[in-house]
Amino acid sequence: MKKNYTRTKPPEIDRRKFLTSLGWTGVGLSTLIASIGNLLYLKPAIDYGPPTLLRVGKPEDFKEGIKEIFETERVAVIRDKKGFAAISLTCTHLGCTIRTSEMGFECPCHGSQFDNDGFVTGGPAPKTLDWYQVAIAPNGELEIDKSIKITPGTYFKV
Amino acid sequence: MKIKDELINLNQQKQKGWFKQFWSNLYRSIFRYGKIPQDAEGQSYAVFNNLFLHIHPVKVSRHSLKFSYTFGLGIIAAILFLILTFTGVWLMFYYFPSATEAYNRMLDLRSSVDFGFVLRNVHKWAAEAMVVVVILHMARVFFTGGYKPPREFNWMIGVVLLLLTLGLSFTGYLLPWDQLAFWAITVGTSIAGYAPIIGEPLRKFLLGGDTVGQEALIRFYVLHVVILPGLMVIFMAIHFWRIRKDGGLSHPSENEPTKKGNSR
Ligand code: HEM
Ligand code: FES
């Protein structure tokens, strides 16, 4: 009997092509996984920065209408008829520390101005100053949590 | 220099004393050609066998050797990088990337360490000069049309080199840990934070936290003394190799049919 050895249709993917692409897929996937691992490694996991909780003293230590400045913590504590507020002293433009002015606050870096509630009244700052959550600690002191931002204008009543 | 000439030379050396012969052999093991060759073939051979001259093709266009064509800006940038590496490594012996130590170490370098102020100032001035020179070099390449094919890839390598230079400048600026450094990096990283999507992660990656502190200092230090200089060396090597492989520097007659009397 005569055999016909000629293939009618060559396979679209032969063994060599298949193994090559399998190899490259492996290289690609492991590169991807390794890159993700490296990026995750570089992502700051632990916050070594200054503590976000701070106690600033008893409510009665604060006089009405006076901005109490905590320079290293970069926060101003304000007592108003409406209650207490803790306003961030970090300029919303590019992060300089702002100082008090007659109108409220001003930034020495590029001249942004804010009113007493931290709303922008001039300069390049794009956003209202952050307001931090204020609470009463078990020992009766005011406690500010810089990790929790609240709607500007919401005063804390004692 | 032909092999035959070399053999004749070697034969002649046999007649010298052993000491002279030793030096002559040593010299020839480094510089394959003898004294500076006078003939065209010997000169080509000399260029071909010297790593530093090899940046030029064997035959160089008269045009690209003219000082006013390049103003030597690329070479000046490379030399400034060498100066920065030398002074930078020397500074590393005293500098300490710690939020409590860095500023004091910088003051000590300035006032107590012998020649510390010289190293620091050379490092600072060379750094400023490097930024200026790299930008001027880029302008030269642009105005002479050096970015056109076949050199468009080398232009892209050049863009990477510019970014690396700026990156070194930026990361180095934090290291003295004084008021200027602190606020410049506060502002600089805030600007980075405004970039869409990657901005905030990039800021966090650079600072290692939310504000400029110890974490930021160590990150900037590692970038400044290891990662960016390392990348710089790699990309400079590619840059120089490409100049050679793209047929030396650009010259005006290149893209035109050779005109009469146009000596390339
Ligand atoms: C291998 C290369 C380099 C090493 C090892 C190095 C190392 C250092 C070190 C240890 C410091 C801190 C010492 C001090 O502040 O006085 C420093 C500062 C600095 N570096 Fe570099 N550096 C290198 C290259 C560069 C380059 C290429 C640039 C810029 C083009 C640059 C720009 C700066 C700047 C602007 C400072 C701040 C200088 C000051 O205000 O004192 N460095 N470098
Ligand atoms: S950082 Fe405050 S105005 Fe720019």
Side-chain angles (χ1 to χ4, degrees):
Chain A
M1 210 180 96
K2 230 179 156 190
K3 266 189 187 162
N4 184 8
Y5 286 109
T6 46
R7 278 208 189 104
T8 41
K9 212 172 127 206
E12 270 169 31
I13 298 178
D14 58 18
R15 190 190 329 230
R16 174 177 299 224
K17 246 191 195 154
F18 174 73
L19 288 178
T20 311
S21 46
L22 197 69
W24 281 115
T25 313
V27 171
L29 278 180
S30 36
T31 312
L32 185 74
I33 292 170
S35 327
I36 293 175
N38 280 290
L39 282 179
L40 285 179
Y41 174 81
L42 289 173
K43 192 173 127 261
I46 306 157
D47 188 357
Y48 294 103
T52 52
L53 266 187
L54 45 122
R55 292 185 182 169
V56 292
K58 294 249 171 358
E60 51 273 22
D61 298 342
F62 292 85
K63 284 195 211 80
E64 212 175 286
I66 284 184
K67 287 174 268 190
E68 203 74 54
I69 301 297
F70 298 87
E71 175 134 18
T72 37
E73 293 82 6
R74 296 199 208 169
V75 54
V77 179
I78 295 174
R79 183 172 190 178
D80 198 277
K81 282 189 199 61
K82 290 167 267 180
F84 285 91
I87 298 181
S88 157
L89 288 180
T90 303
C91 181
T92 52
H93 179 223
L94 294 171
C96 291
T97 302
I98 55 176
R99 58 192 174 210
T100 52
S101 72
E102 283 165 36
M103 312 298 297
F105 304 96
E106 66 184 11
C107 181
C109 286
H110 318 97
S112 286
Q113 283 162 357
F114 308 87
D115 67 11
N116 277 319
D117 282 345
F119 292 98
V120 183
T121 53
K127 281 190 300 188
T128 310
L129 296 174
D130 284 336
W131 282 49
Y132 298 130
Q133 194 188 60
V134 186
I136 292 285
N139 69 353
E141 279 188 56
L142 282 175
E143 189 176 65
I144 296 166
D145 191 343
K146 285 169 62 177
S147 63
I148 303 177
K149 283 157 198 158
I150 58 172
T151 321
T154 37
Y155 284 85
F156 173 75
K157 287 188 193 70
V158 184
Chain B
M1 189 138 306
K2 296 202 184 77
I3 309 251
K4 209 177 99 196
D5 296 339
E6 290 234 31
L7 287 178
I8 294 170
N9 245 320
L10 276 177
N11 257 335
Q12 283 168 348
Q13 277 172 28
K14 289 242 170 75
Q15 269 109 61
K16 292 180 196 158
W18 69 268
F19 189 72
K20 262 200 168 152
Q21 196 180 329
F22 171 76
W23 280 117
S24 152
N25 282 348
L26 185 66
Y27 181 84
R28 292 191 138 260
S29 69
I30 302 171
F31 304 100
R32 288 286 154 80
Y33 49 90
K35 307 230 172 60
I36 295 171
Q38 297 302 316
D39 59 317
E41 192 193 357
Q43 282 169 348
S44 312
Y45 187 76
V47 168
F48 201 74
N49 280 289
N50 184 307
L51 173 70
F52 299 102
L53 293 180
H54 197 55
I55 192 172
H56 292 298
V58 174
K59 287 218 167 64
V60 185
S61 147
R62 188 190 307 274
H63 198 91
S64 51
L65 286 180
K66 221 168 109 195
F67 179 72
S68 60
Y69 189 67
T70 61
F71 296 103
L73 287 166
I75 293 294
I76 294 175
I79 291 171
L80 283 172
F81 181 71
L82 286 183
I83 294 174
L84 283 163
T85 307
F86 180 84
T87 52
V89 169
W90 242 225
L91 287 170
M92 283 172 80
F93 277 98
Y94 286 103
Y95 179 79
F96 204 85
S98 132
T100 49
E101 277 299 297
Y103 181 66
N104 293 331
R105 294 304 180 99
M106 188 270 292
L107 291 184
D108 290 347
L109 269 169
R110 234 171 50 174
S111 58
S112 311
V113 178
D114 286 336
F115 293 108
F117 75 103
V118 178
L119 278 169
R120 216 172 87 81
N121 283 333
V122 170
H123 195 78
K124 177 83 186 169
W125 283 94
E128 313 259 296
M130 182 159 168
V131 174
V132 174
V133 166
V134 167
I135 290 172
L136 288 178
H137 169 64
M138 200 168 174
R140 188 288 286 175
V141 173
F142 182 76
F143 288 130
T144 57
Y147 56 86
K148 289 177 191 164
R151 301 186 180 79
E152 69 279 42
F153 181 68
N154 222 10
W155 172 270
M156 276 153 57
I157 298 288
V159 173
V160 175
L161 289 175
L162 174 72
L163 294 179
L164 286 174
T165 308
L166 297 180
L168 275 164
S169 210
F170 183 60
T171 50
Y173 208 82
L174 182 64
L175 303 183
W177 204 242
D178 50 10
Q179 283 290 318
L180 198 61
F182 186 90
W183 293 110
I185 301 312
T186 299
V187 166
T189 50
S190 294
I191 293 174
Y194 274 118
I197 305 165
I198 57 155
E200 212 30 52
L202 179 66
R203 199 179 81 89
K204 288 262 162 60
F205 156 73
L206 285 172
L207 292 183
D210 234 355
T211 48
V212 179
Q214 174 63 65
E215 290 311 294
L217 182 55
I218 194 72
R219 279 176 184 232
F220 273 58
Y221 182 70
V222 173
L223 284 170
H224 187 76
V225 304
V226 182
I227 297 180
L228 295 179
L231 288 176
M232 189 80 130
V233 168
I234 293 171
F235 278 92
M236 266 166 58
I238 303 175
H239 198 61
F240 295 161
W241 179 76
R242 268 314 273 235
I243 297 171
R244 175 74 180 72
K245 291 293 160 184
D246 291 338
L249 297 182
S250 58
H251 35 91
S253 48
E254 206 169 42
N255 293 320
E256 306 156 14
T258 333
K259 285 180 218 132
K260 244 195 177 168
N262 191 346
S263 67
R264 305 235 296 169

